[in-house]
Amino acid sequence: MKNTEIKTGLSELIGDKKVISRDENTMDTGSFDAFGLDRTKTYKANYQILVFPENTDDVASIMKYAYANNISIVPSGGRTGYAGGAVAKNGEIVVSLDKMNQVLEFDPFLGSIAVQAGMVTKNLHKEAEERGFYYPVDFAATGSSHIGGNIATNAGGVRVVRYGLVRDWVLGLTVVTGTGEILRFNGEILKNNTGYDLKHLFIGSEGTLGIITECILKLTAPPKDIRVILVAVPDFKSILDIFKKTHSSPLPLLAFEFFTEFCLEKVKEHLGVNSPFSEASAYYVLMEYEVSGENDEDKLFSILEDITNDELIMDGSIAQNSRQNETFWKYREGISESLSLHDTVHKNDISLPLRNMDAFLQEMEALLDSKYPGFQIALFGHIGDGNLHLNILKPKDMEVEEFFLKCKSVDPDMFRLIQKYHGSISAEHGIGLLKKDFLGFSRSEVEIESMKSIKKIFDPKGILNPGKLF
Ligand SMILES: Cc1cc2nc3c(=O)[nH]c(=O)nc-3n(C[C@H](O)[C@H](O)[C@H](O)COP(=O)(O)OP(=O)(O)OC[C@H]3O[C@@H](n4cnc5c(N)ncnc54)[C@H](O)[C@@H]3O)c2cc1C
């Protein structure tokens, strides 16, 4: 079908202001391309039609049109994904949820909020806060990511040790399937034991089963007061020993993150900040605690004293106020940005059972030394969740194409190792385009076939985000 025909057809259904075609010159090429790309930087956008629906009915009209005319669709959220899930490179229609950003309802009895799926995650935090509540899923990209994108990727973030993943906060969903049908899953009640809970199929489905248009999210009480501890740790095993101790601590742990000296150097360079410690250390751990009781500050000191006495840390510091909390967090949250702005990086986001982590890392280091001799590696992540972000940096004198080919050839060795230690090849970023060739390292053939069968139910023509996931 010609693009002009598609543009006219869609404009008649949802209004011409919501449909943009590449050849119209209403948007520069870079901005237009950006709606069909995410943060992977490895793909080129190739698509002609971009639509901005404003409500679920608009999305249903778009999908019905696509179904009738066999046109593929890419749902586009905040485009902060690291798996190529929101990439449109085969002439698909890009459906951006940018204009679907409204609060629909707040229920003080249930402690829940209903919003459109294009709401930026940080705005959701604000909406919850204004109502005296707290939405706890947070990470460095929430200033741009959409709540719909978070649900489609089942995002994690920095407070999973305490609050879990996005999946744990979704009460209800409205989705538009690959035929244009609108499905509303639960939401207004806590208890509903009436068969399969289908919304969970759509959480983490990366836009392959339906377009999420609205969601009802559970909220919670905000943590009263937060204290951040930053410690310098001599070796990886000590990080695990510190984490084991946090389980028996009477203070609620909100976050447990780690990074290496190399990552700290990158952040210092990028943000122009100084090191928090007088001497460099191999690793750093950031712990965040809720302090609400009278003696909680003392308990915090005793945690620091305990890990110091056991010689698990070389140095440590407790943030004295919320500004210092933020400063400490910058050392951790600035890592991704400092890498992506100054380097070409091959990212791997993996998870392992913590009990296997030390043995895995030892074998992993040997593998990296043999396959990537002399390459710089940035290792950091949500270690309390068993989640490592392993980033390999392109050497300055290597061509980009050669670098990514090399990484792709080494990835299977790494994935075999992850399989050996019962881990996952994607902890929280998803599979998208980037890891679809390797899905078999984490999911069995039967599982993958079952996923394909489920896709056929909701997307019989295979037009929703085709080529992603499998
Ligand atoms: C600096 C940085 C830090 C990050 N840290 C974390 C982290 O700690 N934890 C974490 O989990 N992730 C992290 N990410 C990855 C990313 O932010 C998450 O995957 C996020 O949930 C993606 O949301 P998005 O709105 O940007 O989705 P997009 O990138 O736009 O899309 C992601 C996938 O979801 C689909 N999709 C988007 N919206 C919808 C919808 N409404 N309906 C159906 N499908 C849809 C897309 O087609 C695509 O497959 C980080 C990214 C950056 C850049």
Side-chain angles (χ1 to χ4, degrees):
M1 252 179 119
K2 284 201 182 115
N3 292 319
T4 46
E5 246 180 282
I6 300 175
K7 154 104 186 157
T8 310
L10 286 172
S11 298
E12 277 168 10
L13 290 169
I14 62 169
D16 59 358
K17 288 202 176 64
K18 301 177 197 168
V19 189
I20 298 181
S21 111
R22 184 182 282 278
D23 49 27
E24 274 175 328
N25 288 331
T26 48
M27 206 186 259
D28 66 80
T29 310
S31 309
F32 192 88
D33 278 352
F35 280 95
L37 292 173
D38 65 2
R39 299 286 179 101
T40 38
K41 290 188 183 170
T42 20
Y43 306 101
K44 281 209 168 81
N46 171 26
Y47 76 100
Q48 305 300 322
I49 304 283
L50 170 62
V51 284
F52 290 105
E54 290 178 5
N55 50 51
T56 300
D57 287 342
D58 281 353
V59 176
S61 299
I62 296 163
M63 269 324 301
K64 278 186 185 142
Y65 182 84
Y67 182 71
N69 294 289
N70 301 312
I71 304 170
S72 296
I73 295 285
V74 173
S76 167
R79 295 163 279 128
T80 65
Y82 275 138
V87 169
K89 65 183 186 70
N90 296 315
E92 303 93 334
I93 293 176
V94 171
V95 178
S96 165
L97 279 283
D98 261 16
K99 295 209 160 44
M100 294 182 58
N101 53 20
Q102 300 298 307
V103 174
L104 300 170
E105 210 176 357
F106 167 67
D107 182 343
F109 293 99
L110 192 54
S112 69
I113 191 163
V115 299
Q116 288 184 303
M119 175 170 280
V120 169
T121 318
K122 266 279 175 267
N123 293 343
L124 173 67
H125 291 156
K126 277 189 217 133
E127 297 288 351
E129 199 182 316
E130 279 168 20
R131 290 163 175 82
F133 280 87
Y134 180 63
Y135 176 72
V137 180
D138 200 4
F139 47 91
T142 49
S144 306
S145 74
H146 290 180
I147 183 61
N150 297 165
I151 295 169
T153 53
N154 187 25
V158 293
R159 301 216 170 89
V160 173
V161 271
R162 169 79 182 270
Y163 295 106
L165 300 149
V166 162
R167 186 182 298 283
D168 299 303
W169 297 91
V170 179
L171 287 173
L173 280 186
T174 301
V175 301
V176 175
T177 69
T179 59
E181 195 166 349
I182 299 170
L183 299 178
R184 295 186 196 278
F185 301 127
N186 192 29
E188 294 173 36
I189 42 180
L190 264 187
K191 296 182 165 182
N192 185 3
N193 264 346
T194 51
Y196 306 146
D197 193 344
L198 296 177
K199 70 174 181 287
H200 283 293
L201 289 176
F202 288 78
I203 303 171
S205 66
E206 301 186 43
T208 62
L209 295 182
I211 302 186
I212 299 158
T213 58
E214 297 172 10
C215 53
I216 304 180
L217 301 158
K218 194 166 57 169
L219 303 173
T220 187
K224 283 221 176 82
D225 204 355
I226 285 176
R227 282 283 180 282
V228 179
I229 303 182
L230 195 61
V231 290
V233 185
D235 50 55
F236 192 81
K237 193 174 167 304
S238 298
I239 298 180
L240 299 175
D241 288 339
I242 296 169
F243 186 66
K244 264 192 277 175
K245 278 178 182 285
T246 60
H247 288 309
S248 51
S249 143
L251 281 185
L253 179 72
L254 300 178
F256 192 93
E257 301 282 312
F258 93 110
F259 48 94
T260 57
E261 169 64 13
F262 178 74
C263 296
L264 178 61
E265 284 302 316
K266 284 280 169 189
V267 173
K268 275 165 56 185
E269 240 172 79
H270 172 59
L271 296 178
V273 291
N274 293 322
S275 172
F277 300 112
S278 52
E279 276 180 44
S281 176
Y283 298 95
Y284 300 91
V285 168
L286 182 150
M287 288 173 271
E288 188 181 69
Y289 284 97
E290 179 177 358
V291 284
S292 43
E294 238 178 57
N295 301 321
D296 282 358
E297 297 283 353
D298 297 339
K299 289 175 195 159
L300 205 61
F301 281 113
S302 78
I303 291 172
L304 203 51
E305 202 172 45
D306 189 20
I307 56 180
T308 308
N309 290 343
D310 285 357
E311 297 182 354
L312 297 175
I313 64 171
M314 295 161 65
D315 202 350
S317 181
I318 302 179
Q320 295 307 311
N321 48 46
S322 56
R323 249 187 67 200
Q324 217 175 2
N325 281 351
E326 278 173 32
T327 309
F328 281 7
W329 266 112
K330 273 189 191 153
Y331 294 116
R332 164 63 186 88
E333 295 234 285
I335 300 171
S336 286
E337 195 182 71
S338 68
L339 293 173
S340 67
L341 289 180
H342 305 290
D343 294 280
T344 300
V345 180
H346 176 62
K347 284 180 170 294
N348 260 304
D349 157 48
I350 59 180
S351 72
L352 278 302
L354 274 178
R355 65 179 185 282
N356 296 343
M357 190 64 92
D358 200 27
F360 165 79
L361 263 186
Q362 285 178 32
E363 276 199 59
M364 185 69 195
E365 270 166 21
L367 179 77
L368 294 176
D369 283 347
S370 72
K371 301 284 181 180
Y372 296 110
F375 283 47
Q376 292 175 313
I377 312 276
L379 189 64
F380 61 99
H382 316 296
I383 191 65
D385 316 329
N387 185 178
L388 298 175
H389 295 319
L390 200 151
N391 292 252
I392 296 149
L393 277 67
K394 183 184 84 59
K396 298 275 178 252
D397 56 355
M398 190 179 254
E399 290 298 322
V400 174
E401 207 173 316
E402 185 191 348
F403 171 68
F404 282 116
L405 274 177
K406 163 108 189 138
C407 295
K408 206 157 180 183
S409 72
V410 177
D411 275 348
D413 293 331
M414 188 194 300
F415 297 151
R416 261 185 287 279
L417 204 58
I418 292 168
Q419 205 174 30
K420 175 177 162 189
Y421 286 102
H422 309 292
S424 168
I425 64 161
S426 180
E428 52 178 20
H429 293 164
I431 296 294
L433 284 171
L434 203 67
K435 285 192 173 165
K436 66 178 202 157
D437 294 344
F438 309 114
L439 186 58
F441 283 99
S442 279
R443 309 300 291 262
S444 71
E445 249 176 64
V446 177
E447 281 181 295
I448 295 170
E449 282 313 309
S450 305
M451 287 198 249
K452 286 180 179 168
S453 304
I454 289 168
K455 179 164 170 75
K456 279 204 186 107
I457 297 171
F458 295 108
D459 179 26
K461 286 191 173 175
I463 55 173
L464 266 170
N465 225 0
K468 314 290 167 57
L469 193 52
F470 38 65

